[in-house]
Every structure is written in structure tokens, then in C-alpha cells.
Amino acid sequence: MVNCRGCDSKLSITLLNLGESPIANNLIKGPNLEIQNEYYPLHAMTCENCALVQLSESLPRETIFKPDYVYYSSTSTSWLMHSKLYAKKMAQMLSLNQKDLVLEVASNDGYLLQFFQELGVSVIGIEPALAVAQAAIKKGVPTIIDFFGESLALDLASYQKPKLIIGNNVLAHVPDLHDFLNGIETLISDEGVITFEFPQLLNLLKNTQFDTIYHEHYSYLSITALMPLLKQHKLKVFDVEKLPSHGGSIRVFLAKQTSRWKITQSVQQALLEESQFDPRDEKIYKSLQIKVNKVKSDLLNELYKLKEKRRKIAAYGAAAKGTTLLNYCGIGTDLIEYVVDLNPNKQGGFIPGSLIPIVDPIILTSSRPDVLLVLPWNLSTEIKMQLNDQIKLGTRLIRAIPKVEYF
Ligand SMILES: [Zn+2]
């Protein structure tokens, strides 16, 4: 039996057991492909006590986040836009000036902190992935190459306490939530604000986003589960905002319990909404399993039907969620010839498990597929626009989440 990462109760409810799966982002490079495939259990469980959803078995960070991990946040233009607006909003809300410090955990290549610098505010980033951290430093964004936790926070607090701490898509990746929150509690200034953005569990349950379950994500977060956790660290949620990113994320605003920040109506509203999809409710997790099974059989049926008609099938976007989907459905090169991806660091590699080769999208002009399975369904609109030429030539786009459909 495993204990809850939040409240230490024994975990007893299976939300979804996806069997064994390879580590989603560890793309395989040749030769001897098969030997490199390593499988680990992918089993999401719910804490009956605090409602936190987490993987039953957590792999060490070092196994999952390899030093050569490469994802540059700055490559997504919509994400940059989102970040710029956020910087402006926060600068206004907190009346930030050049004496203030803004700190970001998992600051990647400085995609966000650069906008605070433009506003004349001092910044510091914390980023454990060497290559991306170096890219930030090169840009002039001061960055500490490390994981964030209590010991680092204690060091930093002796210099200056930030007025704003940001953690975008980082909380789910943290194996030790208490060490992380101890760090936040230590470091934030008395009237300072912390914002976290993360995909909301509610959307996973509502829209069958089971492919967002992979080893990098230790926890699947909700406001409901976050409340008791924060209380232990003398923090409060005082505001919640919904965001369209990653198929439905939220931004939570936190501060010390003793601070002046008043709790808005949005918090109660979010809790109420989540209570309709409580992961502890048997009806909810049973219906998730049924919907996941349907995605699998619908997708396989459609792909086999296309194969029988000798249609050419490829996939678009070697996203981590694609590894979970393809592996769970048992899809390999028998059904999907190749995956195209714009990121040159991924090209030449293979999707772990299914061993489907990742190639430059330029191939689409010479080998015209009849159907493209879009793996990062959260970017459907953007991708459809990019593929306008192929669509005009007869390629059809299909996605599997929230249900199998052409779009
Ligand atoms: Zn718990």
C-alpha cells in the first residue's frame, strides 16, 4: 500500500490503471531500439481522505527528467502571448517596481521572466534542466540551475524575499509536495503573492484526458485537494482563474493566511464545480474507465478500417501525451507509419514503446498521408491552420480525445 503524498493516508481507490508504460518524454534513439524500451506501472490512485490523485508508484526525478531534456517554452507563440499578458497583469496588481523581486520555479528558457525584466523588475529563475537554463542565462535572465525545495529557499530567503513567486506547470511534477511548499512558505514575503498554473483534474475527468497521465506527472491537481495541503503550510487560496491552456488549466493565487488578500467568490465557485466530479465518487471513476475503453476501441476500429482500405496513416506531434495514448491502445508502426514533429531535437528519434519514428514535417509533401492522427489535441486549432495545405490536398485530421472524431 502506498501513502498519499498530501495527507499520508493509505491510498485505496484506483482512478485509472493504464498498465505499464514507458517514460513519455524519453525518446528512443537508434540503434537497438527494442532493448531501450523500459516499462513502468502507470496507475493513478485517489486519496479517500483529501481527494488528491497521484501515481501509485513514483519514479525518481533523475530517471524521468534527463539532463538532456529539451523543451523550450519560447517555441510556442501562444504561450508567449499568454505569458506577456500575465506579466502585465501581475505588475499592475502588485505595483511592482525595480526594488521588487519576482521568482519563477521551473523558469525554462526565461520565456516569462523576460517580460518582467522589460517592465524593470528584478527577476530570478530556478530551472533544473541544464540546456534550457543555459538558454535563459544567455538571454540575460538570472537562473539558478537546481530543483526548488526548502533548502534552496532558505539560502535565497537570506538575500531578498520575492513579492511574487510563479510556478507554471510545475506542481504536478514535484515528488515531495511538502518540501516544495515548505520552500514557498519560507521564501514568500509577508504580503507577497504566489501563482500556480496547472491542468485541472476536473477536465481530465470530464473530457477523458487520460493521456495526460504519464510518469512526469506525479499528481493530478484540484483546488479541493490543494486546500488542506496549503493549510498545513499556512497558505491560502484567495483567487482562481480558468485558462484554456493544456485542455483546461487553472491559475490559483495564494498568499500567507495572515496577509491582507481577501478570498474571492471564485474559490467557492471552483470547489462547487469540482464537487460534481469528485474522484472519490465511484460513479465518476467507473464512468471514466468506460469512456477510456471506448476511446481505445473506437480508435483501433477506425485505424483498422482505414488500413483495410489501404489508407496511409501518420501522426502529428510527438507530445508526451501521445506516448500514453499509443502505448495504452497498443498502436505501433503496423498502424501508424511515422509521427511528424517541428522540433528538430525530436526528429530522428522514436516514440518510446511504440517505436514509431519521428520525422521532419517536410515529409508530408512527398508522402501524402490520407489520415493524420493529431496527438497534442490541445493544439488542434493551431495545428489545423498549420496543415491547411495538406488538408486541401485531401489529408484528413483525426483526434482521440475527448472522443475519436475527424475535425
Ligand atoms: Zn490524501
Side-chain angles (χ1 to χ4, degrees):
M1 284 277 262
V2 192
N3 285 17
C4 171
R5 199 171 275 127
C7 73
D8 210 34
S9 302
K10 294 248 179 291
L11 294 179
S12 54
I13 304 170
T14 287
L15 182 75
L16 200 57
N17 190 348
L18 297 173
E20 295 209 318
S21 203
I23 296 172
N25 269 319
N26 287 357
L27 299 182
I28 308 269
K29 301 259 160 115
N32 301 325
L33 299 174
E34 272 83 9
I35 302 170
Q36 296 177 56
N37 261 342
E38 285 175 24
Y39 292 84
Y40 302 94
L42 197 54
H43 184 177
M45 296 190 80
T46 307
C47 174
E48 204 165 352
N49 181 44
C50 76
L52 184 65
V53 172
Q54 58 211 289
L55 294 185
S56 65
E57 200 169 313
S58 22
L59 298 173
R61 280 206 276 220
E62 295 70 24
T63 313
I64 298 179
F65 303 100
K66 295 278 167 69
D68 59 352
Y69 172 78
V70 271
Y71 175 77
Y72 295 95
S73 295
S74 294
T75 52
S76 163
T77 44
S78 57
W79 188 243
L80 279 178
M81 205 48 195
H82 171 80
S83 305
K84 190 173 185 165
L85 289 171
Y86 165 84
K88 266 195 179 157
K89 178 194 157 101
M90 295 312 291
Q92 210 166 27
M93 177 177 162
L94 297 169
S95 320
L96 296 174
N97 62 45
Q98 54 275 45
K99 281 179 286 177
D100 296 321
L101 178 66
V102 173
L103 180 139
E104 187 185 14
V105 182
S107 50
N108 199 271
D109 58 2
Y111 73 100
L112 171 59
L113 290 177
Q114 63 185 356
F115 296 120
F116 283 99
Q117 283 182 314
E118 278 175 18
L119 300 170
V121 183
S122 299
V123 301
I124 188 150
I126 318 282
E127 173 55 57
L130 184 65
V132 280
Q134 280 169 338
I137 294 166
K138 220 168 146 188
K139 256 190 241 174
V141 178
T143 305
I144 297 171
I145 305 170
D146 205 347
F147 285 108
F148 181 80
E150 192 178 10
S151 72
L152 180 61
L154 283 166
D155 283 349
L156 292 170
S158 58
Y159 298 99
Q160 185 182 357
K161 290 195 170 184
K163 209 169 179 181
L164 173 64
I165 298 180
I166 308 157
N168 288 340
N169 297 308
V170 61
L171 213 50
H173 298 82
V174 173
D176 187 344
L177 287 169
H178 287 291
D179 177 60
F180 187 88
L181 292 172
N182 277 337
I184 299 285
E185 187 187 345
T186 304
L187 197 53
I188 192 68
S189 58
D190 286 343
E191 294 298 327
V193 168
I194 305 127
T195 71
F196 290 143
E197 283 179 34
F198 51 84
Q200 194 178 11
L201 174 68
L202 177 73
N203 295 303
L204 190 162
L205 299 172
K206 252 187 180 170
N207 300 318
T208 327
Q209 298 167 352
F210 74 99
D211 57 345
T212 59
I213 300 177
Y214 44 88
H215 300 99
E216 285 91 330
H217 294 156
Y218 294 101
S219 312
Y220 302 82
L221 299 155
S222 60
I223 314 267
T224 310
L226 211 52
M227 298 287 263
L229 195 61
L230 293 171
K231 210 172 164 187
Q232 291 182 60
H233 297 275
K234 301 186 183 69
L235 298 167
K236 64 181 175 190
V237 181
F238 69 89
D239 203 3
V240 178
E241 258 177 31
K242 291 193 182 201
L243 306 166
S245 41
H246 300 285
S249 290
I250 43 174
R251 178 186 291 150
V252 293
F253 293 77
L254 320 176
K256 287 194 173 178
Q257 279 173 353
T258 49
S259 67
R260 69 183 162 93
W261 298 97
K262 295 260 178 305
I263 298 173
T264 67
Q265 197 54 44
S266 64
V267 180
Q268 211 45 47
Q269 191 60 41
L271 287 170
L272 186 70
E273 208 183 337
E274 284 184 355
S275 70
Q276 313 292 312
F277 281 84
D278 194 310
R280 293 167 291 190
D281 182 347
E282 194 177 345
K283 276 205 305 283
I284 298 296
Y285 57 82
K286 286 217 163 129
S287 82
L288 177 67
Q289 182 69 61
I290 292 167
K291 287 189 284 180
V292 169
N293 291 346
K294 185 161 165 51
V295 165
K296 180 175 177 172
S297 61
D298 286 356
L299 181 61
L300 285 171
N301 283 338
E302 185 58 29
L303 296 183
Y304 281 126
K305 223 164 67 194
L306 291 166
K307 265 291 158 211
E308 254 168 47
K309 292 189 210 152
R310 300 189 177 278
R311 298 287 189 268
K312 201 178 176 69
I313 317 166
Y316 189 95
K321 47 171 79 71
T323 303
T324 296
L325 179 79
L326 297 171
N327 187 74
Y328 183 68
C329 297
I331 296 169
T333 45
D334 54 332
L335 290 171
I336 291 182
E337 230 171 277
Y338 54 82
V339 182
V340 297
D341 197 288
L342 286 168
N343 184 344
N345 293 305
K346 291 186 176 179
Q347 294 163 11
F350 296 80
I351 304 268
S354 65
L355 299 180
I356 300 172
I358 304 165
V359 296
D360 189 316
I362 195 102
I363 196 173
L364 295 176
T365 47
S366 55
S367 126
R368 186 157 57 79
D370 298 295
V371 172
L372 266 177
L373 171 63
V374 173
L375 298 172
W377 44 261
N378 51 313
L379 305 174
S380 290
T381 318
E382 217 169 306
I383 291 169
K384 196 172 178 179
M385 266 164 24
Q386 279 169 22
L387 293 173
N388 200 20
D389 290 348
Q390 275 79 25
I391 295 168
K392 275 190 193 147
L393 289 169
T395 298
R396 298 171 76 198
L397 305 186
I398 191 171
R399 63 184 165 211
I401 311 290
K403 61 180 196 302
V404 178
E405 60 188 349
Y406 288 94
F407 67 99

